Structures are given as C-alpha cells and as structure tokens.
Amino acid sequence: MPIKIPDDLPARRTLEAEGVMVMREKDAMRQDIRPMRIGLLNLMPDKISTETQIARLIGSTPLQVELSLVRISDHVPRNTAAGHMEAFYRPWEDVQEERFDGFIVTGAPVEKLPYEEVRYWPELARIFDWTQTHVHRSFAICWAAQAALHHFHAIPKHGLEAKAFGVFRHRNLVPDSPYLRGFSDDFSIPVSRWAEVRREDVAKGRGLTVLADSEEAGLCLVHDAGHRMLHMFNHVEYDSGTLADEYHRDNASGGTIGVPANYFPGDNPAAPPENRWRSHAHLLFGNWINEMYQTTPFDLLHIGEEATVAERA
C-alpha cells in the first residue's frame, strides 16, 4: 500500500521518481481502510531532505500510512522557507488533541547545548509526555533519542572531543528483537554527532534494552519498552550523499571537520560514496511499523490506554 502525503509536498516528486507508491489525498478518501497515522516532528535544519528520507522509509511497507508533519509551536526555522512550513506543517499545539499510531522525533543541531538551554526544550518535554497518552509507538533519532532518555530516565549525554562522523559497523546484540528481524549480525550505519549516551549510564532496572552498538561509535539502538519508544542515536535514514553534504558544508564555512570515516572510497572526498546501510534502514522502519500495526488499537481513541492502565496499577 502507498504512503499518503500532501499532494504538493516536494518529497512526492522524489518518491514517485524512485517508484515509491504515493497516494493522492482524494484517492485515500475513497478507500474504506484506516491508515496507520504517523506524525513527524522534524527538528532537522534541512527539513525538505529529512521529510523525503523519512517518507521514503515509511512508504516502503505494505501498509497504508498517513504522514503528518509537525513543528514546534513557537519556533521559526531559519533554513526552511516560511511558505513551506506554513503549507505543510502544523504546530504541535494544533495536533495535541489527536492520536497517532506512531510518532517520530528527529535529531537537531543543538547537541553542544545543555538540554534546558535549548529554546524549545519546555515544549519538547511536553511532547515527550504527550506521546505517553496520545501515541502508540514512538521513534526518536540522534539528539532526540538522547533527549528522550534524559527526560524519562535522567540519563546524561556526554560531549565528544571530536565529532563522531562516518559510517561504522554495528553489532546486532538482540537478534530475536522484533525490531531487528532480518538484520545481519553486523551492519553499517552513518554516524554524525557531537555527543553520546554511554552504556554505563543505561543502568539495569530501567526497562531499557541495548539492541545494537559499535566498538568505535558506541551505543546505536535502545528500546524503552515502558515508554514504547525506540531510540536510534545515529542516522540510518540518511541518503547516500548526506554525510558528503555535511562534510563539504562544514569545511566551506571554515570548519576543520575531518573526512567521514569509512565513507568515501579511498577517503577521497571527490569520489562518490557507496551506500551500505540502505537495506537495514528499510528493515528497521519496516519492523517498527509492523510491530506498531500488530499491537495498535483499531479505534484511535483507545491509543494511550496503556498509560492509563499503568497509572492505575
């Protein structure tokens, strides 16, 4: 089944050219089916690229998915046209009464700041709490994964002396996890961050399970069953050229960032990189959506009852 996104969203043209089935809004209304409702709180600077990357992954499952784009209510992005934000994004304050089968929160370029100094931290904290009563399954990426673990478990993030930057091999630690179904014993994933969550801080007894890690890059994927959240510290959603774009952008602006590890053939920035993570990106998102589909209530109004039952226990 296809993904349902706004007819004029720039991602539509890209996905259609790639062969991803994209449903027009008028056709979706004719089908007697309840689509999986997934919200995307997009905190990345290049919002159009991130929209496309996420839509590509959730649109490759056999289920019909309706993607809703959400933004922080009082934050004005500097790198995306106001017209695009106005046309395709709704502020979280306008959707907070709605319920979603799934909700994705992306990373943001604020890793060097303490959480409480991030301008929109108070609203993001409310959004994390809201997912416990209005969302069935959540997926946090990079900085958002660190932030959610800090919010729910007071787990700190640690700054890195040098940016973790490149494509690193990771170990599948829990092959029988439904989220790692079909994964190889080891797999490569892009990493691009200035901070990390350390294994020793993910203490036992919190209900957290480390699903994947890397000897070079540290923790990668953590499941928080109690909060129905999956935490991906790296960027499995990246396009083939995203790390290259970051490398050239940072160096053009006077930065001293090194060549991303294990990325350019022969470490030559002029050579086109090879994508070694695409299949596992589709697997991970497909497994997450399948797990969501198998367990979500048919009636959206019943989403969040898990939290109500837990509070009464």
Side-chain angles (χ1 to χ4, degrees):
M1 296 295 288
I3 180 174
K4 176 180 174 288
I5 55 178
D7 293 344
D8 297 328
L9 190 72
R12 170 179 289 276
R13 294 187 295 274
T14 301
L15 298 180
E16 288 178 334
E18 295 175 358
V20 177
M21 294 183 65
V22 184
M23 174 171 279
R24 297 194 176 276
E25 294 178 280
K26 64 179 182 180
D27 296 327
M29 293 176 63
R30 289 202 303 265
Q31 290 198 347
D32 185 19
I33 188 172
R34 182 174 92 69
M36 302 295 291
R37 294 201 71 215
I38 296 180
L40 171 62
L41 179 64
N42 188 357
L43 304 176
M44 291 290 278
D46 187 348
K47 299 199 183 302
I48 293 177
S49 293
T50 302
E51 295 157 13
T52 305
Q53 292 163 1
I54 299 297
R56 176 185 296 118
L57 294 171
I58 66 175
S60 297
T61 73
L63 302 173
Q64 184 187 133
V65 175
E66 177 184 298
L67 180 63
S68 298
L69 300 177
V70 182
R71 63 173 175 85
I72 294 292
S73 300
D74 61 352
H75 178 69
V76 179
R78 293 179 296 176
N79 300 293
T80 303
H84 181 85
M85 300 301 298
E86 180 67 25
F88 300 114
Y89 281 78
R90 289 190 294 162
W92 173 72
E93 288 181 348
D94 288 357
V95 304
Q96 62 181 310
E97 298 303 322
E98 300 179 16
R99 284 173 166 77
F100 294 85
D101 300 291
F103 200 77
I104 300 167
V105 186
T106 73
V110 293
E111 294 171 293
K112 294 183 179 181
L113 292 175
Y115 295 115
E116 290 73 14
E117 292 184 14
V118 175
R119 182 174 175 273
Y120 49 78
W121 177 254
E123 181 166 342
L124 183 60
R126 292 196 297 273
I127 291 172
F128 284 146
D129 289 336
W130 166 84
T131 64
Q132 300 306 289
T133 56
H134 289 71
V135 176
H136 183 60
R137 290 281 189 273
S138 300
F139 196 136
I141 299 172
C142 199
W143 176 81
Q146 300 170 358
L149 287 176
H150 169 74
H151 177 72
F152 288 118
H153 298 280
I155 292 177
K157 65 180 172 70
H158 301 271
L160 300 172
E161 293 183 5
K163 186 177 185 179
F165 192 46
V167 180
F168 297 95
R169 293 180 64 179
H170 290 75
R171 301 176 296 187
N172 180 348
L173 301 177
V174 190
D176 60 351
S177 166
Y179 299 108
L180 295 181
R181 187 179 296 111
F183 268 63
S184 306
D185 292 337
D186 67 81
F187 48 93
S188 297
I189 290 184
V191 178
S192 179
R193 48 182 164 78
W194 285 98
E196 66 179 358
V197 169
R198 296 175 181 168
R199 177 181 282 274
E200 56 265 31
D201 293 325
V202 183
K204 294 181 179 180
R206 296 178 184 264
L208 302 174
T209 304
V210 178
L211 301 181
D213 71 357
S214 165
E215 291 185 1
E216 296 176 278
L219 294 181
C220 172
L221 188 65
V222 171
H223 182 216
D224 182 355
H227 294 93
R228 307 184 307 284
M229 297 191 77
L230 199 61
H231 303 278
M232 163 57 71
F233 299 113
N234 302 323
H235 286 286
V236 70
E237 81 282 2
Y238 269 8
D239 291 327
S240 300
T242 305
L243 289 181
D245 293 341
E246 292 184 5
Y247 169 74
H248 294 302
R249 178 201 64 203
D250 290 350
N251 280 283
S253 63
T256 57
I257 191 169
V259 174
N262 314 309
Y263 179 61
F264 293 115
D267 286 337
N268 177 9
E274 296 179 347
N275 190 310
R276 303 193 303 279
W277 61 90
R278 183 184 297 114
S279 59
H280 286 97
H282 283 276
L283 264 179
L284 180 61
F285 274 80
N287 286 342
W288 177 66
I289 291 174
N290 181 62
E291 183 68 11
M292 183 196 322
Y293 173 74
Q294 297 293 335
T295 57
T296 194
F298 180 81
D299 188 340
L300 284 168
L301 293 178
H302 292 312
I303 287 176
E305 289 184 350
E306 302 95 335
T308 303
V309 172
E311 289 170 0
R312 291 174 178 170

